[in-house]
Amino acid sequence: MTTTDYDDVTKFLGEWGHFQKLIALLLCISVIPNGLTGFSVVFIADTPPHHCLIPPNANISAEWRNYSIPLEEDNGEMRYSKCTRYKLDVIKRLSDNGSVPGIDVNVTEIEQESCEDGWHYDRSIYISTIVSEWDLVCSDAWKVPMTTSVLFFGLLTGAFFSGQLSDRFGRKNILFVTIGVQTLFIFFQIFSTSWFMFSALFFVVGMGEVSNFVTAFVLGTEVLTPRIRTIYCTAGVSTFFAVGYMLLPLTAFFIRDWRMLLIAIALPGVFCFPLWRLIPESPRWLLSQGRVEEAEAILRGAAKKNGVKAPEVIFQPLQETLNHHNICDLIKSSSIRWITIKLILMWVIICLGYFALSLNTSNLSGDPFLNSFFSAAVEVPAYILAWPLFRSCPRRLCLSPTLFLSGAVLLVTQLIPGKLSSVSIALEMMGKFGFSVAYILVYAFTAELYPTVLRNTAVGTCSTISQLGNIAAPYFLYMGTYYKSLPYILMGSLCALGGLLGLLLPETYGLPLPDTIDHMQTIQRYKKRQTSNRGRPVV
């Protein structure tokens, strides 16, 4: 008997016993910290309203103090300039002379200077952010989006290494190592003394965050039975991520200081460590490594929890030769290579659209905490919808139409007149809904396409390269400053390309998870033969 019989051999456990319920719940809980961390930069690095500081010892009259900052038009409103003030020595001389601003002196004719004494920040929303802590404004304003880019580069690096490490050293080990890395380095960020130190630590936080999610996703995929696997991969793990995301604005609403907010964000990760004793290693992975006795021990423990009796011998000795695999196996054969290329392009397109719309919602008028909450809440029905779609429909017919619909919504959005802003916002939310569905569908589809010996490497590699879409998202939005419709046209067109690529992938609906590369290729050949024989007369 080989690992390809895994689903049939483990049917004695049942589908939804105490063991499966416990594992699904614990793995879902383990991704809640990811939702808290993933978009924390929205609040930690938000830029509060600010203008040049006029020091208390400037010795100028209250009347001149009110006129010391130039006014500039901002979205149709006159506001204090953020980066300049009138020359303070001139203001002081005029104040000492008793001149009246606006009557004796035309204030706008006074020479301006930069904010030599720092900035005054509005504290009505935040007590402090890293922007107000290290004055990341004006000439240093570029550091704010760079902070987000550093996190995404960390996500890219973590996804690349964790997938291969997980396939080599085990799902459980890498899961808890990455939870530890994420939690520990968030705590380290609290003691940051500069923006550079904060960003360097944020890079490591990103490495742990995506690695945790990908590994938990794959571990659940391999441990759970086919029917429950579908629920877990769609509505399960992603909904718990969205729960963590929704908890972020709630937490930030009550904690307005960025250091204290980091403590609150890190605490859920600490509570995940006791789960080590309850979450087992993937028996599928143990079998792929030839560790049959350990795999059987886990399944016998699961049978005991479910109140069923395990067979005397669960697995026969493996007949296949055990080999270690790496990222090169994703492009070694022509059939797997083309699957990998098409999937990577789809991942990049989906991530680009998802993060671009997520970042764009932060620019909406209104309360920033409510905006963030709504941005997270729209994902919950998307993930719930993904479950019945993935359970009852062919994978290609789930993923491709979702991308086509998202693209159509984006193309229509740029045609809406500016005065109908509520319609544009509603369409953008529909677009994010579609991208959220596509995001989790492509995760589950990828896990089904690749064998156990490459599954975490494949998902990790796709997740790694997809971070290029995350990094590009802010720049796509920036194109709107030159031509407002350009971001929507580009993203809508890319969605159409992604939909076409999805139709070219092999179908996995109703097929068992492959455990070896040969098994993967056998399933694909069988599916092709089955498709080509449809409609032929039986002889």
Side-chain angles (χ1 to χ4, degrees), residues 118-187:
W119 287 263
H120 169 81
Y121 294 95
D122 186 349
R123 309 286 179 177
S124 62
I125 297 178
Y126 304 105
I127 296 175
S128 70
T129 68
I130 64 170
V131 174
S132 61
E133 179 87 7
W134 295 306
D135 291 331
L136 307 182
V137 294
C138 299
S139 61
D140 284 333
W142 61 270
K143 294 180 179 178
V144 178
M146 179 59 71
T147 305
T148 305
S149 296
V150 167
L151 174 67
F152 288 154
F153 277 114
L155 295 175
L156 187 153
T157 307
F160 177 77
F161 287 108
S162 66
Q164 297 177 76
L165 291 173
S166 177
D167 282 338
R168 185 67 182 271
F169 299 106
R171 311 334 190 185
K172 179 180 177 179
N173 291 332
I174 300 304
L175 172 64
F176 283 93
V177 166
T178 53
I179 290 175
V181 167
Q182 176 181 329
T183 304
L184 187 62
F185 278 82
I186 290 175
F187 275 121

Side-chain angles (χ1 to χ4, degrees), residues 156-398:
L156 187 153
T157 307
F160 177 77
F161 287 108
S162 66
Q164 297 177 76
L165 291 173
S166 177
D167 282 338
R168 185 67 182 271
F169 299 106
R171 311 334 190 185
K172 179 180 177 179
N173 291 332
I174 300 304
L175 172 64
F176 283 93
V177 166
T178 53
I179 290 175
V181 167
Q182 176 181 329
T183 304
L184 187 62
F185 278 82
I186 290 175
F187 275 121
F188 286 164
Q189 283 183 294
I190 298 167
F191 304 100
S192 299
T193 56
S194 66
W195 171 80
F196 180 83
M197 180 179 177
F198 178 90
S199 298
L201 295 171
F202 213 18
F203 175 85
V204 184
V205 170
M207 289 177 62
E209 192 215 347
V210 70
S211 305
N212 171 14
F213 182 88
V214 171
T215 308
F217 179 88
V218 172
L219 179 55
T221 298
E222 294 180 348
V223 171
L224 300 173
T225 56
R227 188 173 68 88
I228 305 305
R229 181 189 307 144
T230 301
I231 304 173
Y232 173 81
C233 291
T234 52
V237 66
S238 301
T239 301
F240 275 74
F241 175 88
V243 168
Y245 186 4
M246 287 189 290
L247 288 174
L248 172 64
L250 179 64
T251 305
F253 179 80
F254 291 103
I255 303 176
R256 306 296 180 94
D257 176 81
W258 73 269
R259 296 182 192 270
M260 297 303 296
L261 180 58
L262 281 177
I263 294 176
I265 290 172
L267 283 177
V270 175
F271 296 135
C272 288
F273 290 119
L275 304 183
W276 170 271
R277 298 176 59 87
L278 301 174
I279 296 177
E281 183 54 88
S282 165
R284 280 183 181 269
W285 178 81
L286 290 170
L287 285 173
S288 73
Q289 304 300 302
R291 296 158 62 176
V292 179
E293 292 183 0
E294 294 176 61
E296 286 195 352
I298 291 173
L299 293 175
R300 292 188 192 281
K304 186 176 180 181
K305 286 184 175 67
N306 286 355
V308 298
K309 185 177 180 180
E312 290 288 334
V313 177
I314 300 178
F315 297 108
Q316 298 294 334
L318 297 178
Q319 301 299 317
E320 62 247 38
T321 301
L322 296 174
N323 297 308
H324 290 298
H325 297 276
N326 55 47
I327 192 172
C328 295
D329 291 294
L330 298 178
I331 57 174
K332 186 172 291 186
S333 70
S334 60
S335 59
I336 297 179
R337 179 166 57 249
W338 283 112
I339 290 173
T340 301
I341 291 172
K342 285 179 280 192
L343 276 173
I344 285 174
L345 289 173
M346 291 184 68
W347 275 71
V348 171
I349 291 169
I350 292 169
C351 285
L352 170 63
Y354 174 83
F355 278 92
L357 294 184
S358 297
L359 294 173
N360 200 42
T361 54
S362 65
N363 297 323
L364 300 176
S365 60
D367 187 272
F369 305 101
L370 278 178
N371 290 343
S372 180
F373 179 82
F374 291 143
S375 178
V378 75
E379 297 184 15
V380 176
Y383 298 143
I384 293 175
L385 175 64
W387 167 36
L389 282 177
F390 205 74
R391 180 182 178 184
S392 58
C393 298
R395 305 330 186 199
R396 294 179 298 184
L397 296 184
C398 295

